[in-house]
Amino acid sequence: MRVAFTAVPDSHLPTADALLSIAVDALGGSERQGQITMVKAVQQAIDDAEHLAVQAGTGTGKSLAYLVPSIRHAMDTDTPVVVSTATIALQRQLVDRDLPRLAEALAKELPHEPTFAILKGRRNYLCRYKATAGWPEEDEQDQLFDPREVGATGRMVQRIQEWADETETGDRDELVPGVSEQAWRQFSVSAQECLGAGRCPSGAECFAELARARAGEVDVVVTNHALLAIDAMGDMPVLPEHEFVVVDEAHELVDRVTSVVTGELSETSVSLAVRRVGRLIDQPVADQLQEAGEDLKALLSAAPPGRVDELPEVLGLTLALVRDSAARCLTALGPRGGDKDDPDKAGQRKAAFTALDEVHDTAVRMLEAYGHAAETDRSEVVWLDGATDRRPPMLRVAPLNVGGMLRDKLFGDRTVVLTSATLALGGTFDGMARQWGLGDKGWQGMDVGSPFDHPRAGILYVAKHLPQPGRDGLPQAYLDEITELIEAAGGRTLGLFSSMRAAKAATEALRDRLKVPLLCQGDDSTMLLVKQFAEDEETCLFGTLSLWQGVDVPGPSLRLVIIDRVPFPRPDDPLTSARQRHVAAKGGNGFMTVAATHAALLLAQGTGRLLRSQQDKGVIAVLDPRLATARYSGFLLGSLPPFWRTTDPAVARAALTRLSTES
């Protein structure tokens, strides 16, 4: 049962919509109906202690719409509110632009000027103790085969050491240019590895603890979905005590939470645990774990990648061997919390416990995943990721559904507002609500619309005449269609492809055919490519998933968005295919619940790249004819903004030609 927090209203505080009006005037903006509607809805959710899902299209001003009632609530109850985002870009926008301007605008209307801070996971902050004291060696195995990487990492390490003497926050994001994960790991610790402020010799100066202390004193704490999940589901709180949360970019919540709770096991993680335990226990006990890791390596190297639906006897025996060997090492380490008077030894023991716990608990979890014979009773899926150039084969385990965790841990004792430009899939919030575990009670859904006139500003063109996409790359007809559309647009095209292979193939095939510059994701950093694309109107940019959701290019540089195919998950994707089969086993429609919902969400995100300002106009071209012909097309189209639609290529090309002459 949810625990409802009851705020004690302060009669001296202006209403949320009055504060919004003051803020909009101070910031030189104009009131938007969707923004006003959202402010009132968020305030009502706070007053009623009821969860709220708000779809707010691009240009609505949703950040201001949830920040104003959030700040008011913080003042009203003298407790912080938490705002969680999925991307660093939005975190930076909130902390560097939106909140400073809003705080200044509302300062005279509230008891004090609103305060705010950003809080990240412990791994994002430099550990003073690790930077200055002896610590178990990190895994250097993947560097041994490339001397160039060793030199590059060494230079990064030196730069971090120099920065460590001057930084005031210890925040990794201050390091520009950035450093590799390999280099950063030598200066950071996870929450599990941390000795704790009370035991660590550098505890009084700990950057992570200082950041948390700052967060406990402000009105608004900005964080990310992963840390929000860790705080909600962990035994120890990470965020300051709070009763109200805003989840922005809420369409990403399930995937981010799933990543947090996914377990991984490989020969590398076992070897790391063996090295961490090092000379802290008798060698024969450590050797048993090493041998178990070698058995695991041999088994995984010979096994085919993919979902492991039934537990093979040899895998079961190997996982049990890893589990039992790790348990013996844990027992040999002795009681936790020992060596209080020897920080160096305590640090080594804590690192050993952390690595061993991960290996042991993940092996246990994988074995327990097969505890139920019936498909409907299983709650987790195990799969094998094949080896790459950077890592060996890896066995993973993840929950089939995180809705129950979210319902109990996140939504259980606080009020949550979830918002994004894309939440109503197929015209309803039910699909996302099921994924979040909200069910049919205790929440409201609301679409506050968009300030854009979609039918007048954009055309959704579906190439109904093209063949269905196959598995053998882009058909020649698709390449011809792309060429004609880009020529009509005079460049100015963002190409969103379902795979990097397709994006690169299209780039290679079309660079010689087109007279305009053509960039491809991977040619340079994505940030620099997007910048180049935005600054040169004729340039085109092709890419994959991160561009579907991360590109914001208003103005004449973007007149055409091309989507090569309906973005269904890969049929061999272990997690989504297992989820789809699990839904079907319970009598549901696995395809619509999982695959079609996934595709609808990405399509909505992809089509959302076109209109980023009131002046933008253009065409979205979906080359996959299934969007017009398949039985599920109505669901997908119902998830998209109401663009004017056509299946006539001549109409699309004519519109692009007109726009190119106007620019």
Side-chain angles (χ1 to χ4, degrees):
M1 176 179 288
R2 291 186 62 240
V3 178
F5 289 83
T6 304
V8 179
D10 185 335
S11 59
H12 295 96
L13 291 180
T15 62
D17 48 330
L19 288 172
L20 174 67
S21 180
I22 292 166
V24 169
D25 288 344
L27 298 176
S30 57
E31 290 192 348
R32 309 167 204 176
Q33 186 55 52
Q35 191 179 55
I36 296 170
T37 302
M38 183 171 173
V39 164
K40 292 180 177 179
V42 173
Q43 185 60 58
Q44 192 65 50
I46 292 172
D47 293 342
D48 296 343
E50 184 173 58
H51 305 308
L52 173 69
V54 184
Q55 177 165 287
T58 303
T60 302
K62 63 181 169 64
S63 298
L64 206 61
Y66 64 66
L67 286 175
V68 166
S70 295
I71 289 172
R72 185 182 186 279
H73 176 70
M75 300 280 182
D76 204 15
T77 59
D78 196 28
T79 60
V81 297
V82 171
V83 175
S84 178
T85 78
T87 61
I88 293 174
L90 182 53
Q91 288 178 32
R92 293 257 62 98
Q93 175 189 314
L94 291 171
V95 173
D96 295 341
R97 190 189 73 181
D98 294 350
L99 279 164
R101 297 170 66 201
L102 182 59
E104 183 179 0
L106 298 182
K108 295 180 180 178
E109 309 298 328
L110 298 170
H112 62 259
E113 181 169 328
T115 55
F116 52 90
I118 189 168
L119 186 61
K120 306 173 184 178
R122 191 171 291 272
R123 274 282 192 195
N124 292 278
Y125 299 98
L126 180 124
C127 173
R128 289 187 187 272
Y129 177 59
K130 192 171 185 179
T132 58
W135 197 271
E137 290 295 321
E138 294 293 347
D139 182 19
E140 301 291 339
Q141 184 176 357
D142 62 345
Q143 290 188 358
L144 297 180
F145 304 100
D146 192 343
R148 292 172 299 178
E149 289 201 13
V150 176
T153 300
R155 289 190 292 274
M156 290 179 186
V157 166
Q158 183 177 0
R159 191 152 60 84
I160 297 171
Q161 289 171 331
E162 294 169 354
W163 170 77
D165 293 332
E166 60 188 39
T167 179
E168 295 182 359
T169 67
D171 187 337
R172 179 181 179 177
D173 285 343
E174 284 187 1
L175 271 167
V176 180
V179 296
S180 70
E181 184 63 26
Q182 187 73 33
W184 182 252
R185 278 208 308 264
Q186 299 180 43
F187 295 87
S188 67
V189 297
S190 66
Q192 292 75 25
E193 294 170 318
C194 178
L195 292 175
R199 297 176 60 203
C200 178
S202 302
E205 304 173 294
C206 174
F207 287 122
E209 292 296 328
L210 291 172
R212 187 180 175 197
R214 284 194 298 272
E217 298 172 352
V218 300
D219 299 308
V220 180
V221 180
V222 178
T223 189
N224 57 64
H225 295 350
L227 195 64
L228 182 70
I230 291 169
D231 176 76
M233 298 176 189
D235 296 328
M236 296 292 292
V238 180
L239 298 168
E241 187 173 343
H242 59 282
E243 59 187 52
F244 177 60
V245 179
V246 176
V247 179
D248 202 343
E249 300 176 309
H251 62 280
E252 292 261 29
L253 181 63
V254 167
D255 285 346
R256 300 302 171 106
V257 172
T258 300
S259 295
V260 167
V261 297
T262 295
E264 301 173 347
L265 188 63
S266 68
E267 178 264 339
T268 300
S269 59
V270 176
S271 294
L272 177 61
V274 172
R275 286 198 303 279
R276 289 279 175 86
V277 81
R279 299 172 184 170
L280 299 175
I281 64 174
D282 292 337
Q283 192 63 42
V285 181
D287 287 345
Q288 291 177 11
L289 181 58
Q290 181 67 49
E291 291 168 5
E294 290 170 357
D295 289 348
L296 181 68
K297 176 183 180 181
L299 182 61
L300 298 187
S301 297
R307 212 172 58 220
V308 185
D309 291 330
E310 302 297 332
L311 182 64
E313 182 179 3
V314 64
L315 178 57
L317 291 172
T318 304
L319 288 174
L321 185 61
V322 170
R323 175 197 64 195
D324 296 342
S325 301
R328 283 191 286 271
C329 289
L330 287 166
T331 300
L333 269 177
R336 298 173 188 257
D339 302 299
K340 294 182 179 179
D341 298 328
D342 186 347
D344 289 349
K345 188 74 173 291
Q348 293 172 10
R349 284 170 51 80
K350 189 70 183 285
F353 273 119
T354 298
L356 288 168
D357 282 340
E358 182 178 349
V359 168
H360 174 270
D361 295 351
T362 304
V364 169
R365 187 174 162 193
M366 288 175 174
L367 288 167
E368 291 180 348
Y370 299 97
H372 300 280
E375 174 72 24
T376 53
D377 295 332
R378 290 188 180 178
S379 60
E380 298 207 288
V381 59
V382 179
W383 74 95
L384 176 62
D385 266 354
T388 69
D389 294 339
R390 301 289 301 169
R391 60 162 180 78
M394 181 174 291
L395 205 60
R396 301 182 191 270
V397 57
L400 286 164
N401 190 325
V402 297
M405 298 180 192
L406 290 172
R407 179 183 63 246
D408 297 339
K409 303 294 187 179
L410 178 61
F411 299 113
D413 58 359
R414 53 183 62 84
T415 302
V416 183
V417 168
L418 306 110
T419 186
S420 169
T422 50
L423 291 181
L425 304 179
T428 173
F429 291 89
D430 293 346
M432 295 303 297
R434 278 194 302 270
Q435 291 187 21
W436 296 328
L438 285 178
D440 58 357
K441 294 181 180 179
W443 68 280
Q444 293 289 327
M446 172 181 291
D447 184 353
V448 299
S450 167
F452 300 149
D453 188 347
H454 287 93
R456 290 181 178 273
I459 294 175
L460 175 62
Y461 159 56
V462 181
K464 187 177 178 180
H465 63 286
L466 291 180
Q468 286 194 17
R471 296 185 179 182
D472 302 324
L474 290 171
Q476 185 60 44
Y478 278 45
L479 296 173
D480 294 340
E481 186 82 17
I482 294 171
T483 300
E484 293 173 357
L485 289 167
I486 291 178
E487 287 176 343
R492 304 179 177 86
T493 299
L494 177 65
L496 303 178
F497 292 84
S498 53
S499 70
M500 185 55 74
R501 186 179 68 171
K504 289 181 176 179
T507 302
E508 292 172 6
L510 298 179
R511 268 189 172 143
D512 293 337
R513 293 176 62 175
L514 294 171
K515 298 178 181 179
V516 294
L518 178 53
L519 308 175
C520 184
Q521 193 174 5
D523 291 345
D524 205 330
S525 75
T526 300
M527 182 178 68
L528 290 176
L529 289 173
V530 172
K531 183 174 184 290
Q532 187 176 345
F533 171 61
E535 291 176 349
D536 182 3
E537 287 188 17
E538 291 189 344
T539 295
C540 302
L541 174 60
F542 287 1
T544 185
L545 190 59
S546 61
L547 298 186
W548 285 68
Q549 304 183 76
V551 176
D552 187 1
V553 180
S557 291
L558 178 53
R559 293 298 192 214
L560 170 63
V561 174
I562 294 176
I563 296 175
D564 69 329
R565 63 192 299 161
V566 175
F568 291 116
R570 289 170 55 97
D572 59 355
D573 179 86
L575 186 53
T576 54
S577 62
R579 286 174 169 171
Q580 187 168 326
R581 192 178 65 172
H582 186 70
V583 171
K586 289 193 167 188
N589 187 324
F591 173 79
M592 292 302 295
T593 301
V594 179
T597 296
H598 173 96
L601 185 58
L602 273 182
L603 269 179
Q605 287 287 311
T607 57
R609 299 310 97 201
L610 181 65
L611 304 182
R612 309 304 294 178
S613 74
Q614 293 278 12
Q615 291 72 41
D616 289 346
K617 295 180 179 180
V619 173
I620 296 160
V622 180
L623 307 185
D624 190 339
R626 292 176 296 179
L627 187 58
T629 61
R631 55 182 173 76
Y632 50 76
S633 62
F635 173 77
L636 298 179
L637 290 169
S639 306
L640 305 181
F643 295 106
W644 190 82
R645 298 175 189 168
T646 184
T647 57
D648 187 340
V651 171
R653 291 195 299 269
L656 290 168
T657 300
R658 285 196 303 273
L659 287 173
S660 67
T661 58
E662 293 174 4
S663 299

